[in-house]
Amino acid sequence: MNESYTITVPSTYGYVILTCVVAPTISSMLMGGVVMKARKAMNVPYPNLYATPGHHDKADAFNRVQRGHQSLFESISDFRSMALIGGLKHPLVCSASGLLFSVGYYFFQKGYADTSLEVATARYKKGGQIKWLGFFGVLGSCISAAGSVGGWW
């Protein structure tokens, strides 16, 4: 079973690179800036990734900011992999999904960091749920590309 494939990159694939590789990086940098500002304001020095309750006065507030950012790292590699593969077949869907993912994660952190909101739902109170539209958009695109390569449809 030695098959070879030629990959034709769509003319709109550059958008996939911008929105699914570059945009999440910019979102992460912006979110990291929010963490740095909180770190300074709440006196949580390095090397502490998170604040320690009982040791840091505003541990919960800082940890919510940090957790909002850290959450991005738990899915960004899967997102990018699926987007770069799925974007070969569905570049515009993946491009739109990249914007939703990137903006959604920024809003996710914004909601998570708001201590006036209940922690269990805060991350979705300021628009964070749109990250899932982006994530599932590239997931579907990747599955579609896999089906095409596998000859299943």
Side-chain angles (χ1 to χ4, degrees), residues 43-45 48-60 62-63:
N43 195 27
V44 181
N48 299 304
L49 181 60
Y50 288 97
T52 305
H55 180 73
H56 297 99
D57 292 336
K58 297 182 179 179
D60 186 53
F62 175 78
N63 289 344

Side-chain angles (χ1 to χ4, degrees), residues 7 9 17 74 136 139:
I7 296 175
V9 177
I17 296 168
E74 295 170 4
F136 288 117
L139 174 63

Side-chain angles (χ1 to χ4, degrees), residues 1 3 5 85 89 139-153:
M1 185 176 205
E3 294 182 43
Y5 292 94
I85 294 167
K89 183 173 180 186
L139 174 63
S141 294
C142 190
I143 291 169
S144 175
S148 293
V149 170
W152 307 325
W153 46 75

Side-chain angles (χ1 to χ4, degrees), residues 6-44:
T6 300
I7 296 175
T8 303
V9 177
S11 62
T12 52
Y13 195 75
Y15 295 122
V16 175
I17 296 168
L18 285 174
T19 59
C20 297
V21 177
V22 177
T25 299
I26 292 169
S27 287
S28 179
M29 292 168 63
L30 292 171
M31 293 166 71
V34 173
V35 173
M36 294 300 294
K37 186 176 177 181
R39 184 175 290 287
K40 186 174 181 175
M42 298 178 201
N43 195 27
V44 181

Side-chain angles (χ1 to χ4, degrees), residues 74-85:
E74 295 170 4
S75 62
I76 197 167
S77 61
D78 293 335
F79 174 82
R80 284 180 172 155
S81 299
M82 291 186 296
L84 291 172
I85 294 167

Side-chain angles (χ1 to χ4, degrees), residues 2 7 16 21 28 37 56 69 71 85 87-88 92 103 109 113 115 118 124 131 135 141 143 148 153:
N2 291 329
I7 296 175
V16 175
V21 177
S28 179
K37 186 176 177 181
H56 297 99
H69 186 220
S71 178
I85 294 167
L88 291 169
L92 297 180
V103 171
Q109 182 193 40
T115 57
E118 178 63 37
Y124 298 117
K131 72 177 185 149
F135 188 86
S141 294
I143 291 169
S148 293
W153 46 75

